[in-house]
Amino acid sequence: MLRKEPSTPGQSTFIPLPNERLLRTTPSRIALSITTPKAYPGNSSVSISSASGIVYLTNQRIVYLPTNPSPNLESFSCPLLNLHDTHITAPFFGPNAWTALLQPVPNGGIPSTPSAIELKLTFKEGGAYDFHSDFEAMKERLQQAVENARDSGTAEPGRMPGIGLQGVDLEPLPAYEATASPPSLNTEILATSHHSPHPLSPRVEAMPDPPSLETPEAATTETFAPPVDPPPGYEEVQQQSVVAELERRLSGHTVNENERSLI
């Protein structure tokens, strides 16, 4: 997994596994400690530490390379799914630390004990929260891939069938965006006018006149005008009226003359 390069004696080099992808590299001042803080007397205890080193977070594991390797610790790596109860401790004084419960890998160099084994990474130059966020996101995707593999029947006991490899999406989820409101009619007209070879000229529409508040009688009086010309047949009727009046007078005069002659 990790070995010393011949060209750089005494220095450990990160060597990725097949289909492994590097997600984050920390500064070179990360302290590491692997201990059994609650070991009972008589039980085997673990105590491994390094004052400074680099942590590599990949899509399969975390890798720690100490600045000054020693026979006790040349390198450390652990699968992501073997780290549990991860959290950050922020003391009043001192740097933040990332803590997890470590599940040892068989024949991995760390003995299995009845007591819990604690892994602690101290971030002397900051970055603990970013590291924790990336770790949790990647571990969640791995766990989902394991569940899918078990449901489909492709999982092998004690192994991750293709988990952490090309079967897991490594791209971050898209940020949430509010649904944009549809463009208004004015916006569409302006956009069309900009792209059209003949821009549309603005159209101004006259506003309709407000309804009149006058009564119907007042409106009729103002709009009525008497006719200038006489109605049809007016002259004929006038002549007939004049003739009738003359005949009436003549007949009355004749009656009076007859009465006088009788007297």
Side-chain angles (χ1 to χ4, degrees), residues 34-37 39 44-48 110-111 113 117:
I34 302 174
T35 58
T36 51
S44 60
S45 61
V46 178
S47 180
I48 302 173
I110 298 178
T113 64
I117 300 177

Side-chain angles (χ1 to χ4, degrees), residues 115-135:
S115 303
I117 300 177
E118 182 182 81
L119 168 66
K120 184 178 181 181
L121 299 176
T122 303
F123 289 76
K124 300 178 182 180
E125 297 181 356
Y129 287 96
D130 293 337
F131 178 85
H132 179 70
S133 177
D134 292 345
F135 173 87

